[in-house]
Protein backbone atom coordinates (compact mmCIF):
# COMPACT_ATOMS: atom_id res chain seq x y z
CA UNK A 1 0.00 0.00 0.00
CA UNK A 2 1.06 3.60 -0.52
CA UNK A 3 1.11 5.99 2.47
CA UNK A 4 -1.13 9.02 2.37
CA UNK A 5 0.23 12.54 2.75
CA UNK A 6 3.11 12.79 5.22
CA UNK A 7 2.04 13.40 8.82
CA UNK A 8 -1.64 13.01 7.93
CA UNK A 9 -3.83 11.68 10.73
CA UNK A 10 -7.36 10.60 9.84
CA UNK A 11 -9.89 13.07 11.22
CA UNK A 12 -13.11 12.25 13.03
CA UNK A 13 -13.95 9.64 15.61
CA UNK A 14 -12.12 6.32 15.78
CA UNK A 15 -13.23 3.18 17.57
CA UNK A 16 -9.73 2.39 18.87
CA UNK A 17 -9.30 -0.56 21.22
CA UNK A 18 -5.60 -1.45 20.83
CA UNK A 19 -2.44 0.63 20.29
CA UNK A 20 0.78 -1.28 19.57
CA UNK A 21 4.02 0.67 19.51
CA UNK A 22 7.60 -0.25 18.67
CA UNK A 23 10.25 1.21 20.97
CA UNK A 24 13.64 2.08 19.42
CA UNK A 25 13.33 4.53 16.55
CA UNK A 26 9.59 4.84 17.17
CA UNK A 27 8.48 5.72 20.70
CA UNK A 28 11.87 6.40 22.29
CA UNK A 29 13.48 9.78 21.69
CA UNK A 30 17.08 10.43 20.62
CA UNK A 31 18.24 9.76 24.19
CA UNK A 32 16.41 6.38 24.24
CA UNK A 33 13.82 7.70 26.70
CA UNK A 34 10.05 7.35 26.79
CA UNK A 35 8.60 10.85 26.28
CA UNK A 36 7.00 12.19 29.48
CA UNK A 37 3.98 13.24 27.44
CA UNK A 38 3.11 9.59 26.76
CA UNK A 39 1.96 8.82 30.30
CA UNK A 40 -1.11 11.13 30.36
CA UNK A 41 -2.17 9.66 27.01
CA UNK A 42 -1.86 6.12 28.36
CA UNK A 43 -4.07 7.19 31.30
CA UNK A 44 -6.68 8.50 28.85
CA UNK A 45 -6.52 5.28 26.87
CA UNK A 46 -7.04 3.21 29.99
CA UNK A 47 -10.07 5.29 30.93
CA UNK A 48 -11.53 4.57 27.49
CA UNK A 49 -10.76 0.86 27.60
CA UNK A 50 -7.94 1.09 25.03
CA UNK A 51 -5.04 -1.32 25.54
CA UNK A 52 -1.55 0.13 25.02
CA UNK A 53 1.13 -2.47 24.23
CA UNK A 54 4.83 -1.84 23.57
CA UNK A 55 6.20 -4.21 20.92
CA UNK A 56 9.96 -4.66 20.93
CA UNK A 57 12.94 -6.87 20.42
CA UNK A 58 13.64 -6.16 24.09
CA UNK A 59 12.90 -8.83 26.67
CA UNK A 60 9.82 -8.89 28.87
CA UNK A 61 11.81 -8.01 32.00
CA UNK A 62 13.19 -4.87 30.36
CA UNK A 63 9.80 -3.70 29.10
CA UNK A 64 8.23 -4.39 32.50
CA UNK A 65 10.95 -2.23 34.07
CA UNK A 66 10.48 0.60 31.57
CA UNK A 67 6.70 0.58 32.00
CA UNK A 68 6.66 -0.19 35.72
CA UNK A 69 4.29 2.69 36.44
CA UNK A 70 1.58 0.85 34.50
CA UNK A 71 1.59 -1.93 37.09
CA UNK A 72 0.72 -5.58 36.73
CA UNK A 73 -1.83 -4.99 33.98
CA UNK A 74 0.93 -4.19 31.46
CA UNK A 75 0.50 -5.82 28.05
CA UNK A 76 3.70 -6.39 26.05
CA UNK A 77 4.95 -7.98 22.86
CA UNK A 78 8.54 -8.94 23.67
CA UNK A 79 11.47 -10.58 21.87
CA UNK A 80 10.22 -9.41 18.44
CA UNK A 81 6.96 -11.32 18.82
CA UNK A 82 8.25 -14.51 20.43
CA UNK A 83 6.45 -13.70 23.68
CA UNK A 84 3.14 -11.91 24.27
CA UNK A 85 2.07 -11.26 27.86
CA UNK A 86 -1.17 -9.69 29.09
CA UNK A 87 -0.72 -8.83 32.74
CA UNK A 88 0.57 -12.03 34.26
CA UNK A 89 -0.87 -14.28 31.56
CA UNK A 90 1.11 -15.57 28.59
CA UNK A 91 -0.93 -15.07 25.42
CA UNK A 92 1.63 -16.73 23.14
CA UNK A 93 5.14 -18.12 23.48
CA UNK A 94 7.21 -19.42 20.56
CA UNK A 95 10.56 -20.97 21.55
CA UNK A 96 13.22 -21.95 19.03
CA UNK A 97 13.14 -25.49 17.61
CA UNK A 98 15.39 -28.03 19.35
CA UNK A 99 19.03 -27.71 18.35
CA UNK A 100 18.59 -24.36 16.60
CA UNK A 101 20.32 -22.37 19.33
CA UNK A 102 23.50 -24.45 19.03
CA UNK A 103 23.58 -24.01 15.26
CA UNK A 104 23.23 -20.24 15.62
CA UNK A 105 25.93 -20.02 18.28
CA UNK A 106 28.28 -22.10 16.14
CA UNK A 107 27.69 -19.86 13.12
CA UNK A 108 28.40 -16.68 15.10
CA UNK A 109 31.52 -18.18 16.66
CA UNK A 110 32.77 -19.06 13.19
CA UNK A 111 32.04 -15.53 11.99
CA UNK A 112 34.04 -14.14 14.93
CA UNK A 113 36.98 -16.46 14.17
CA UNK A 114 36.90 -15.09 10.62
CA UNK A 115 37.72 -11.68 12.07
CA UNK A 116 34.33 -10.03 12.53
CA UNK A 117 33.44 -8.18 15.75
CA UNK A 118 30.20 -9.85 16.81
CA UNK A 119 28.54 -11.11 19.97
CA UNK A 120 25.61 -13.38 20.80
CA UNK A 121 22.73 -13.00 23.24
CA UNK A 122 20.64 -16.09 23.94
CA UNK A 123 17.22 -14.81 25.01
CA UNK A 124 15.52 -17.23 27.37
CA UNK A 125 12.18 -17.12 29.12
CA UNK A 126 13.84 -16.57 32.52
CA UNK A 127 16.84 -14.47 31.46
CA UNK A 128 19.16 -13.47 28.65
CA UNK A 129 22.62 -15.06 28.46
CA UNK A 130 26.00 -14.00 27.04
CA UNK A 131 29.45 -15.54 27.06
CA UNK A 132 31.21 -12.43 25.78
CA UNK A 133 31.49 -9.96 28.66
CA UNK A 134 33.86 -7.17 27.56
CA UNK A 135 32.75 -3.62 28.30
CA UNK A 136 32.19 -2.68 24.65
CA UNK A 137 29.79 -5.55 24.04
CA UNK A 138 28.03 -5.34 27.39
CA UNK A 139 27.31 -1.64 26.83
CA UNK A 140 25.31 -2.63 23.76
CA UNK A 141 23.48 -5.48 25.47
CA UNK A 142 22.58 -4.18 28.93
CA UNK A 143 20.09 -1.48 27.83
CA UNK A 144 17.91 -4.17 26.25
CA UNK A 145 18.19 -6.99 28.79
CA UNK A 146 17.36 -6.22 32.42
CA UNK A 147 17.64 -9.92 33.27
CA UNK A 148 21.10 -10.91 32.04
CA UNK A 149 23.59 -13.62 33.00
CA UNK A 150 27.18 -14.20 31.88
CA UNK A 151 27.89 -17.90 31.27
CA UNK A 152 30.93 -19.89 30.19
CA UNK A 153 29.19 -21.66 27.32
CA UNK A 154 25.96 -20.54 25.64
CA UNK A 155 25.30 -24.04 24.34
CA UNK A 156 24.98 -25.22 27.95
CA UNK A 157 22.13 -22.80 28.78
CA UNK A 158 19.07 -24.57 30.17
CA UNK A 159 16.08 -22.34 29.49
CA UNK A 160 13.29 -22.08 26.94
CA UNK A 161 15.04 -20.02 24.24
CA UNK A 162 12.73 -17.49 22.61
CA UNK A 163 15.27 -15.78 20.37
CA UNK A 164 18.97 -15.42 19.67
CA UNK A 165 20.15 -11.86 19.07
CA UNK A 166 23.44 -11.13 17.32
CA UNK A 167 25.18 -7.78 17.70
CA UNK A 168 27.50 -6.71 14.87
CA UNK A 169 29.80 -3.77 15.59
CA UNK A 170 29.96 -3.22 11.83
CA UNK A 171 26.97 -3.40 9.49
CA UNK A 172 24.66 -6.27 10.42
CA UNK A 173 22.95 -6.53 7.04
CA UNK A 174 26.25 -6.50 5.17
CA UNK A 175 28.51 -8.51 7.50
CA UNK A 176 26.67 -10.78 9.93
CA UNK A 177 23.56 -11.55 7.89
CA UNK A 178 25.39 -13.46 5.13
CA UNK A 179 26.97 -15.67 7.82
CA UNK A 180 23.50 -16.49 9.17
CA UNK A 181 21.46 -16.54 5.96
CA UNK A 182 21.75 -20.33 5.63
CA UNK A 183 19.62 -20.60 8.78
CA UNK A 184 16.69 -18.85 7.09
CA UNK A 185 15.49 -22.22 5.81
CA UNK A 186 14.62 -23.24 9.37
CA UNK A 187 14.33 -19.95 11.28
CA UNK A 188 13.05 -16.41 11.01
CA UNK A 189 16.16 -14.23 10.49
CA UNK A 190 15.45 -10.51 10.82
CA UNK A 191 17.74 -7.48 10.64
CA UNK A 192 16.19 -5.40 13.43
CA UNK A 193 18.46 -2.37 13.08
CA UNK A 194 21.89 -1.45 11.74
CA UNK A 195 23.72 -3.59 14.30
CA UNK A 196 21.26 -6.27 15.47
CA UNK A 197 20.00 -9.46 13.87
CA UNK A 198 17.32 -11.55 15.59
CA UNK A 199 16.75 -15.25 14.95
CA UNK A 200 13.42 -16.74 15.99
CA UNK A 201 11.20 -19.73 15.40
CA UNK A 202 9.79 -19.94 11.86
CA UNK A 203 6.69 -17.84 11.33
CA UNK A 204 7.34 -15.65 14.36
CA UNK A 205 7.22 -11.90 13.94
CA UNK A 206 5.54 -8.87 15.47
CA UNK A 207 2.63 -9.16 13.05
CA UNK A 208 1.81 -12.68 14.21
CA UNK A 209 2.09 -11.45 17.80
CA UNK A 210 -0.30 -8.56 17.19
CA UNK A 211 -2.85 -10.94 15.68
CA UNK A 212 -2.53 -13.25 18.69
CA UNK A 213 -3.16 -10.28 20.98
CA UNK A 214 -6.10 -9.11 18.87
CA UNK A 215 -7.61 -12.59 19.10
CA UNK A 216 -7.14 -12.70 22.87
CA UNK A 217 -8.69 -9.25 23.35
CA UNK A 218 -11.45 -9.58 20.77
CA UNK A 219 -10.11 -6.60 18.82
CA UNK A 220 -10.29 -6.13 15.04
CA UNK A 221 -7.75 -4.55 12.66
CA UNK A 222 -10.17 -1.63 12.27
CA UNK A 223 -9.85 -1.02 16.03
CA UNK A 224 -6.04 -1.28 16.06
CA UNK A 225 -3.30 1.35 15.76
CA UNK A 226 0.34 0.34 15.15
CA UNK A 227 3.55 2.38 15.02
CA UNK A 228 6.92 1.19 13.72
CA UNK A 229 10.11 2.20 11.95
CA UNK A 230 12.31 -0.75 11.01
CA UNK A 231 12.20 -4.09 9.20
CA UNK A 232 11.18 -6.04 12.30
CA UNK A 233 8.01 -3.88 12.32
CA UNK A 234 7.14 -4.64 8.70
CA UNK A 235 4.58 -7.36 9.36
CA UNK A 236 2.80 -5.23 11.97
CA UNK A 237 1.76 -2.77 9.28
CA UNK A 238 -0.71 -5.28 7.87
CA UNK A 239 -2.49 -5.89 11.17
CA UNK A 240 -4.14 -2.47 11.57
CA UNK A 241 -6.16 -0.07 9.47
CA UNK A 242 -4.42 2.73 11.35
CA UNK A 243 -0.83 1.75 10.62
CA UNK A 244 1.84 4.43 10.99
CA UNK A 245 5.46 4.41 9.85
CA UNK A 246 7.64 7.05 11.45
CA UNK A 247 9.15 9.76 9.25
CA UNK A 248 12.53 8.16 9.98
CA UNK A 249 11.29 4.68 8.99
CA UNK A 250 12.99 2.26 6.64
CA UNK A 251 11.56 2.77 3.11
CA UNK A 252 10.01 -0.71 3.08
CA UNK A 253 8.10 0.02 6.30
CA UNK A 254 6.96 3.41 5.00
CA UNK A 255 5.70 1.72 1.82
CA UNK A 256 3.72 -0.87 3.80
CA UNK A 257 2.09 1.56 6.27
CA UNK A 258 -1.12 3.47 5.52
CA UNK A 259 0.10 6.68 7.15
CA UNK A 260 3.29 8.50 8.11
CA UNK A 261 3.83 9.93 11.60
CA UNK A 262 6.47 12.52 12.58
CA UNK A 263 9.85 11.06 13.52
CA UNK A 264 10.68 9.63 16.93
CA UNK A 265 12.85 12.66 17.76
CA UNK A 266 9.78 14.82 17.09
CA UNK A 267 7.71 12.61 19.42
CA UNK A 268 5.64 11.34 16.51
CA UNK A 269 3.80 8.68 18.52
CA UNK A 270 2.64 11.25 21.09
CA UNK A 271 1.65 13.78 18.42
CA UNK A 272 -0.33 11.20 16.47
CA UNK A 273 -2.07 9.67 19.48
CA UNK A 274 -3.18 13.11 20.64
CA UNK A 275 -4.88 13.63 17.30
CA UNK A 276 -6.46 10.19 17.26
CA UNK A 277 -7.79 10.60 20.81
CA UNK A 278 -9.25 14.06 20.25
CA UNK A 279 -12.72 12.71 19.52
CA UNK A 280 -13.86 9.95 21.89
CA UNK A 281 -16.22 7.35 20.49
CA UNK A 282 -19.79 7.36 21.78
Amino acid sequence: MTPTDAFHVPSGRHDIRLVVCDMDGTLLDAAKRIPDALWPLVAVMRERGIVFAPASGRQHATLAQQFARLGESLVVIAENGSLVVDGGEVVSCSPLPAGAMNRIVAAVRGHAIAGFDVGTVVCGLRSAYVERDDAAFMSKVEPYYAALEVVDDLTAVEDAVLKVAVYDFGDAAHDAYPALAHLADELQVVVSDRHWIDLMAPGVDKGVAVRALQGSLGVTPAQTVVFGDYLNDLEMMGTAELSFAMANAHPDVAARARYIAPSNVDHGVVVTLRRLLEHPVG
Side-chain angles (χ1 to χ4, degrees):
M1 65 184 69
T2 301
T4 59
D5 295 339
F7 313 132
H8 173 73
V9 177
S11 59
R13 297 186 175 189
H14 303 283
D15 180 22
I16 299 169
R17 291 290 175 262
L18 174 63
V19 175
V20 180
C21 185
D22 172 55
M23 295 287 284
D24 296 273
T26 300
L27 175 61
L28 303 186
D29 62 21
K32 299 286 187 180
R33 296 176 300 201
I34 297 172
D36 290 338
L38 175 73
W39 305 115
L41 293 175
V42 172
V44 169
M45 286 188 278
R46 284 193 164 188
E47 289 173 4
R48 298 184 188 177
I50 302 169
V51 173
F52 176 81
S56 176
R58 297 170 184 236
Q59 68 179 172
H60 179 261
T62 303
L63 294 170
Q65 185 181 81
Q66 291 179 289
F67 290 89
R69 67 175 68 189
L70 301 185
E72 295 181 357
S73 60
L74 176 65
V75 180
V76 300
I77 294 173
E79 306 287 13
N80 269 334
S82 296
L83 180 66
V84 182
V85 179
D86 182 350
E89 299 296 322
V90 175
V91 174
S92 65
C93 180
S94 304
L96 289 178
M101 178 189 71
N102 288 357
R103 289 189 286 277
I104 299 167
V105 171
V108 179
R109 286 173 175 170
H111 195 53
I113 291 170
F116 293 89
D117 195 2
V118 290
T120 306
V121 185
V122 169
C123 309
L125 190 59
R126 296 191 305 271
S127 178
Y129 308 88
V130 294
E131 59 187 15
R132 177 175 172 175
D133 63 354
D134 58 282
F137 179 62
M138 294 298 280
S139 71
K140 306 301 182 182
V141 173
E142 288 172 341
Y144 299 97
Y145 299 97
L148 181 64
E149 296 181 24
V150 178
V151 298
D152 293 330
D153 180 3
L154 287 173
T155 64
V157 166
E158 296 182 357
D159 196 350
V161 178
L162 302 174
K163 182 188 76 178
V164 176
V166 178
Y167 187 86
D168 187 331
F169 280 88
D171 186 312
H174 182 267
D175 297 332
Y177 184 83
L180 300 167
H182 66 284
L183 296 168
D185 290 340
E186 61 172 316
L187 300 169
Q188 189 86 336
V189 184
V190 179
V191 180
S192 55
D193 79 1
R194 183 184 174 192
H195 298 287
W196 285 102
I197 295 177
D198 290 334
L199 298 97
M200 300 163 290
V204 174
D205 56 53
K206 288 185 182 180
V208 171
V210 172
R211 290 189 177 92
L213 186 55
Q214 287 170 326
S216 175
L217 297 172
V219 170
T220 68
Q223 297 171 313
T224 304
V225 182
V226 299
F227 295 93
D229 77 299
Y230 210 72
L231 295 174
N232 58 331
D233 302 317
L234 194 61
E235 290 81 6
M236 283 206 305
M237 298 297 120
T239 66
E241 291 188 10
L242 291 169
S243 59
F244 291 87
M246 312 310 289
N248 52 288
H250 188 285
D252 290 353
V253 179
R256 187 78 62 90
R258 288 180 182 268
Y259 305 100
I260 302 295
S263 73
N264 65 310
V265 298
D266 292 321
H267 296 175
V269 170
V270 168
V271 169
T272 303
L273 284 177
R274 280 178 179 157
R275 288 286 302 276
L276 291 173
L277 297 171
E278 278 179 355
H279 304 287
V281 174

